[in-house]
Short mmCIF file of all heavy atoms in Angstrom, two decimals:
data_model
loop_
_atom_site.label_atom_id
_atom_site.label_comp_id
_atom_site.label_asym_id
_atom_site.label_seq_id
_atom_site.Cartn_x
_atom_site.Cartn_y
_atom_site.Cartn_z
N ALA A 61 111.86 61.03 -15.06
CA ALA A 61 113.21 61.42 -14.62
C ALA A 61 113.80 60.30 -13.79
O ALA A 61 113.07 59.46 -13.24
CB ALA A 61 113.14 62.70 -13.79
N GLY A 62 115.12 60.27 -13.70
CA GLY A 62 115.79 59.26 -12.88
C GLY A 62 116.19 58.03 -13.67
O GLY A 62 115.89 57.92 -14.87
N ASN A 63 116.86 57.11 -12.99
CA ASN A 63 117.40 55.92 -13.66
C ASN A 63 116.91 54.63 -13.03
O ASN A 63 116.80 54.54 -11.81
CB ASN A 63 118.93 55.93 -13.57
CG ASN A 63 119.51 57.12 -14.29
OD1 ASN A 63 119.21 57.35 -15.46
ND2 ASN A 63 120.30 57.90 -13.58
N VAL A 64 116.66 53.65 -13.90
CA VAL A 64 116.29 52.31 -13.43
C VAL A 64 117.34 51.34 -13.99
O VAL A 64 117.59 51.31 -15.20
CB VAL A 64 114.90 51.90 -13.96
CG1 VAL A 64 114.50 50.54 -13.39
CG2 VAL A 64 113.85 52.95 -13.63
N ILE A 65 117.95 50.57 -13.10
CA ILE A 65 118.94 49.59 -13.52
C ILE A 65 118.51 48.22 -13.01
O ILE A 65 118.16 48.08 -11.84
CB ILE A 65 120.34 49.97 -13.00
CG1 ILE A 65 120.78 51.26 -13.68
CG2 ILE A 65 121.35 48.85 -13.25
CD1 ILE A 65 122.09 51.80 -13.22
N VAL A 66 118.50 47.23 -13.91
CA VAL A 66 118.18 45.85 -13.50
C VAL A 66 119.29 44.95 -14.03
O VAL A 66 119.62 45.01 -15.23
CB VAL A 66 116.80 45.39 -14.02
CG1 VAL A 66 116.57 43.92 -13.68
CG2 VAL A 66 115.69 46.23 -13.41
N GLY A 67 119.86 44.16 -13.15
CA GLY A 67 120.94 43.25 -13.56
C GLY A 67 122.13 43.99 -14.14
O GLY A 67 122.77 43.50 -15.07
N GLY A 68 122.40 45.19 -13.62
CA GLY A 68 123.58 45.95 -14.05
C GLY A 68 123.37 46.74 -15.33
O GLY A 68 124.26 47.45 -15.77
N LYS A 69 122.16 46.63 -15.95
CA LYS A 69 121.93 47.36 -17.22
C LYS A 69 120.78 48.34 -17.08
O LYS A 69 119.76 48.01 -16.46
CB LYS A 69 121.56 46.36 -18.32
CG LYS A 69 122.70 45.44 -18.69
CD LYS A 69 122.31 44.67 -19.96
CE LYS A 69 123.26 43.51 -20.15
NZ LYS A 69 122.61 42.21 -20.21
N PRO A 70 120.93 49.53 -17.68
CA PRO A 70 119.82 50.48 -17.65
C PRO A 70 118.61 49.89 -18.37
O PRO A 70 118.77 49.26 -19.43
CB PRO A 70 120.34 51.71 -18.41
CG PRO A 70 121.80 51.47 -18.61
CD PRO A 70 122.09 50.03 -18.42
N VAL A 71 117.43 50.08 -17.80
CA VAL A 71 116.21 49.55 -18.42
C VAL A 71 115.74 50.52 -19.51
O VAL A 71 115.46 51.68 -19.23
CB VAL A 71 115.11 49.36 -17.35
CG1 VAL A 71 113.79 48.94 -17.98
CG2 VAL A 71 115.55 48.33 -16.32
N LYS A 72 115.68 50.01 -20.75
CA LYS A 72 115.31 50.89 -21.88
C LYS A 72 113.99 50.48 -22.51
O LYS A 72 113.44 51.19 -23.33
CB LYS A 72 116.39 50.82 -22.97
CG LYS A 72 117.77 51.22 -22.51
CD LYS A 72 117.96 52.72 -22.65
CE LYS A 72 119.40 53.11 -22.35
NZ LYS A 72 119.47 54.34 -21.55
N GLY A 73 113.50 49.30 -22.18
CA GLY A 73 112.25 48.80 -22.76
C GLY A 73 111.86 47.56 -21.99
O GLY A 73 112.56 47.18 -21.04
N PRO A 74 110.76 46.89 -22.39
CA PRO A 74 110.30 45.71 -21.65
C PRO A 74 111.41 44.67 -21.46
O PRO A 74 112.11 44.32 -22.40
CB PRO A 74 109.18 45.16 -22.53
CG PRO A 74 108.71 46.35 -23.30
CD PRO A 74 109.91 47.22 -23.52
N LEU A 75 111.55 44.19 -20.23
CA LEU A 75 112.61 43.22 -19.90
C LEU A 75 112.14 41.79 -20.19
O LEU A 75 110.98 41.46 -19.96
CB LEU A 75 112.94 43.30 -18.41
CG LEU A 75 113.59 44.55 -17.87
CD1 LEU A 75 113.77 44.42 -16.37
CD2 LEU A 75 114.93 44.79 -18.55
N SER A 76 113.08 40.95 -20.66
CA SER A 76 112.71 39.55 -20.90
C SER A 76 113.15 38.65 -19.75
O SER A 76 112.82 37.48 -19.72
CB SER A 76 113.32 39.06 -22.20
OG SER A 76 114.72 39.12 -22.09
N ILE A 77 113.89 39.21 -18.78
CA ILE A 77 114.38 38.37 -17.67
C ILE A 77 113.39 38.37 -16.51
O ILE A 77 113.72 38.01 -15.40
CB ILE A 77 115.75 38.85 -17.16
CG1 ILE A 77 115.67 40.31 -16.71
CG2 ILE A 77 116.82 38.65 -18.21
CD1 ILE A 77 116.71 40.69 -15.70
N VAL A 78 112.14 38.81 -16.80
CA VAL A 78 111.14 38.93 -15.75
C VAL A 78 110.05 37.86 -15.91
O VAL A 78 109.64 37.55 -17.01
CB VAL A 78 110.45 40.32 -15.83
CG1 VAL A 78 109.42 40.47 -14.72
CG2 VAL A 78 111.47 41.41 -15.73
N GLY A 79 109.61 37.32 -14.76
CA GLY A 79 108.42 36.49 -14.74
C GLY A 79 107.35 37.27 -13.98
O GLY A 79 107.66 37.94 -13.01
N MET A 80 106.11 37.22 -14.45
CA MET A 80 105.06 38.01 -13.79
C MET A 80 103.83 37.16 -13.48
O MET A 80 103.50 36.25 -14.24
CB MET A 80 104.59 39.14 -14.70
CG MET A 80 105.64 40.17 -14.96
SD MET A 80 104.83 41.64 -15.61
CE MET A 80 106.19 42.44 -16.39
N ALA A 81 103.16 37.49 -12.38
CA ALA A 81 101.87 36.88 -12.07
C ALA A 81 100.97 37.95 -11.46
O ALA A 81 101.43 38.82 -10.73
CB ALA A 81 102.03 35.71 -11.12
N PHE A 82 99.69 37.88 -11.82
CA PHE A 82 98.74 38.92 -11.42
C PHE A 82 97.59 38.32 -10.62
O PHE A 82 97.46 37.11 -10.50
CB PHE A 82 98.17 39.62 -12.66
CG PHE A 82 99.23 40.10 -13.60
CD1 PHE A 82 99.62 39.33 -14.68
CD2 PHE A 82 99.86 41.31 -13.37
CE1 PHE A 82 100.61 39.77 -15.54
CE2 PHE A 82 100.85 41.76 -14.22
CZ PHE A 82 101.23 41.00 -15.31
N GLN A 83 96.71 39.23 -10.16
CA GLN A 83 95.56 38.81 -9.34
C GLN A 83 94.60 37.90 -10.11
O GLN A 83 94.20 36.85 -9.63
CB GLN A 83 94.82 40.05 -8.83
CG GLN A 83 93.61 39.69 -8.00
CD GLN A 83 93.05 40.91 -7.29
OE1 GLN A 83 93.73 41.90 -7.09
NE2 GLN A 83 91.80 40.83 -6.91
N SER A 84 94.26 38.33 -11.34
CA SER A 84 93.28 37.52 -12.08
C SER A 84 94.04 36.47 -12.88
O SER A 84 95.11 36.74 -13.42
CB SER A 84 92.45 38.40 -13.00
OG SER A 84 93.32 39.13 -13.82
N SER A 85 93.45 35.29 -12.95
CA SER A 85 94.12 34.22 -13.66
C SER A 85 94.19 34.54 -15.14
O SER A 85 93.21 34.94 -15.75
CB SER A 85 93.35 32.92 -13.46
OG SER A 85 93.85 31.95 -14.34
N SER A 86 95.37 34.40 -15.71
CA SER A 86 95.50 34.66 -17.15
C SER A 86 95.90 33.37 -17.86
O SER A 86 96.57 33.38 -18.87
CB SER A 86 96.54 35.75 -17.38
OG SER A 86 97.74 35.40 -16.73
N LEU A 87 95.47 32.23 -17.28
CA LEU A 87 95.76 30.94 -17.91
C LEU A 87 94.87 30.77 -19.15
O LEU A 87 93.74 31.26 -19.17
CB LEU A 87 95.50 29.79 -16.93
CG LEU A 87 96.35 29.81 -15.66
CD1 LEU A 87 95.92 28.70 -14.71
CD2 LEU A 87 97.83 29.71 -15.97
N LEU A 88 95.39 30.09 -20.14
CA LEU A 88 94.62 29.88 -21.37
C LEU A 88 93.73 28.65 -21.18
O LEU A 88 94.22 27.55 -20.92
CB LEU A 88 95.56 29.68 -22.56
CG LEU A 88 96.53 30.85 -22.79
CD1 LEU A 88 97.52 30.53 -23.90
CD2 LEU A 88 95.76 32.13 -23.13
N PRO A 89 92.39 28.83 -21.29
CA PRO A 89 91.46 27.76 -20.94
C PRO A 89 91.55 26.53 -21.85
O PRO A 89 91.16 25.45 -21.45
CB PRO A 89 90.08 28.42 -21.05
CG PRO A 89 90.28 29.68 -21.81
CD PRO A 89 91.70 30.08 -21.66
N TRP A 90 92.08 26.71 -23.07
CA TRP A 90 92.12 25.57 -24.00
C TRP A 90 93.42 24.80 -23.88
O TRP A 90 93.63 23.83 -24.59
CB TRP A 90 91.92 26.06 -25.44
CG TRP A 90 92.95 27.06 -25.87
CD1 TRP A 90 94.18 26.79 -26.40
CD2 TRP A 90 92.85 28.48 -25.78
NE1 TRP A 90 94.86 27.95 -26.64
CE2 TRP A 90 94.07 29.02 -26.28
CE3 TRP A 90 91.86 29.37 -25.33
CZ2 TRP A 90 94.32 30.38 -26.34
CZ3 TRP A 90 92.12 30.73 -25.39
CH2 TRP A 90 93.32 31.22 -25.88
N ARG A 91 94.30 25.21 -22.98
CA ARG A 91 95.56 24.49 -22.78
C ARG A 91 95.55 23.77 -21.44
O ARG A 91 94.99 24.29 -20.46
CB ARG A 91 96.72 25.48 -22.76
CG ARG A 91 97.15 25.95 -24.12
CD ARG A 91 98.37 26.84 -23.95
NE ARG A 91 99.02 27.06 -25.22
CZ ARG A 91 100.31 26.87 -25.45
NH1 ARG A 91 101.10 26.46 -24.48
NH2 ARG A 91 100.83 27.08 -26.63
N THR A 92 96.21 22.62 -21.38
CA THR A 92 96.30 21.91 -20.10
C THR A 92 97.20 22.71 -19.15
O THR A 92 97.88 23.65 -19.57
CB THR A 92 96.94 20.52 -20.28
OG1 THR A 92 98.28 20.71 -20.74
CG2 THR A 92 96.16 19.67 -21.25
N ILE A 93 97.21 22.29 -17.87
CA ILE A 93 98.04 22.95 -16.87
C ILE A 93 99.51 22.89 -17.29
O ILE A 93 100.21 23.91 -17.30
CB ILE A 93 97.82 22.26 -15.49
CG1 ILE A 93 96.39 22.54 -15.00
CG2 ILE A 93 98.84 22.70 -14.47
CD1 ILE A 93 96.00 24.00 -14.91
N LEU A 94 99.97 21.71 -17.71
CA LEU A 94 101.37 21.55 -18.13
C LEU A 94 101.68 22.47 -19.31
O LEU A 94 102.71 23.17 -19.31
CB LEU A 94 101.63 20.10 -18.52
CG LEU A 94 103.08 19.78 -18.87
CD1 LEU A 94 103.96 19.83 -17.63
CD2 LEU A 94 103.19 18.41 -19.53
N SER A 95 100.78 22.52 -20.26
CA SER A 95 101.04 23.31 -21.45
C SER A 95 100.94 24.82 -21.16
O SER A 95 101.64 25.62 -21.78
CB SER A 95 100.12 22.82 -22.55
OG SER A 95 99.66 23.83 -23.33
N ASN A 96 100.11 25.21 -20.18
CA ASN A 96 100.09 26.62 -19.75
C ASN A 96 101.43 26.99 -19.12
O ASN A 96 101.97 28.06 -19.39
CB ASN A 96 98.97 26.85 -18.73
CG ASN A 96 97.72 27.44 -19.37
OD1 ASN A 96 97.72 28.60 -19.78
ND2 ASN A 96 96.67 26.64 -19.48
N VAL A 97 101.96 26.11 -18.26
CA VAL A 97 103.23 26.41 -17.58
C VAL A 97 104.35 26.53 -18.60
O VAL A 97 105.26 27.35 -18.45
CB VAL A 97 103.55 25.32 -16.52
CG1 VAL A 97 104.95 25.48 -15.97
CG2 VAL A 97 102.53 25.38 -15.39
N MET A 98 104.27 25.74 -19.69
CA MET A 98 105.35 25.75 -20.67
C MET A 98 105.27 26.90 -21.68
O MET A 98 106.20 27.10 -22.47
CB MET A 98 105.39 24.41 -21.40
CG MET A 98 105.87 23.31 -20.45
SD MET A 98 106.01 21.73 -21.23
CE MET A 98 107.33 22.00 -22.40
N LEU A 99 104.18 27.66 -21.62
CA LEU A 99 103.95 28.73 -22.62
C LEU A 99 105.16 29.68 -22.79
O LEU A 99 105.57 29.93 -23.93
CB LEU A 99 102.68 29.51 -22.26
CG LEU A 99 102.24 30.58 -23.26
CD1 LEU A 99 101.82 29.94 -24.58
CD2 LEU A 99 101.06 31.38 -22.69
N PRO A 100 105.75 30.21 -21.70
CA PRO A 100 106.87 31.15 -21.91
C PRO A 100 108.03 30.53 -22.69
O PRO A 100 108.76 31.25 -23.38
CB PRO A 100 107.33 31.49 -20.48
CG PRO A 100 106.13 31.24 -19.63
CD PRO A 100 105.42 30.08 -20.27
N LEU A 101 108.18 29.20 -22.63
CA LEU A 101 109.28 28.55 -23.33
C LEU A 101 109.08 28.59 -24.85
O LEU A 101 110.01 28.40 -25.62
CB LEU A 101 109.43 27.10 -22.87
CG LEU A 101 109.64 26.91 -21.37
CD1 LEU A 101 109.71 25.44 -21.02
CD2 LEU A 101 110.90 27.62 -20.91
N GLU A 102 107.82 28.86 -25.26
CA GLU A 102 107.54 28.99 -26.69
C GLU A 102 107.82 30.41 -27.18
O GLU A 102 107.87 30.67 -28.37
CB GLU A 102 106.06 28.65 -26.97
CG GLU A 102 105.72 27.21 -26.67
CD GLU A 102 104.22 26.95 -26.73
OE1 GLU A 102 103.49 27.74 -27.36
OE2 GLU A 102 103.78 25.94 -26.12
#
Side-chain angles (χ1 to χ4, degrees):
N63 297 307
V64 184
I65 294 177
V66 175
K69 293 190 194 122
V71 175
K72 301 272 187 221
L75 293 178
S76 62
I77 57 155
V78 181
M80 294 197 200
F82 309 95
Q83 179 169 339
S84 54
S85 169
S86 53
L87 299 175
L88 302 174
W90 59 87
R91 281 184 166 232
T92 64
I93 292 304
L94 185 70
S95 143
N96 261 289
V97 171
M98 290 182 66
L99 185 66
L101 303 178
E102 295 171 20

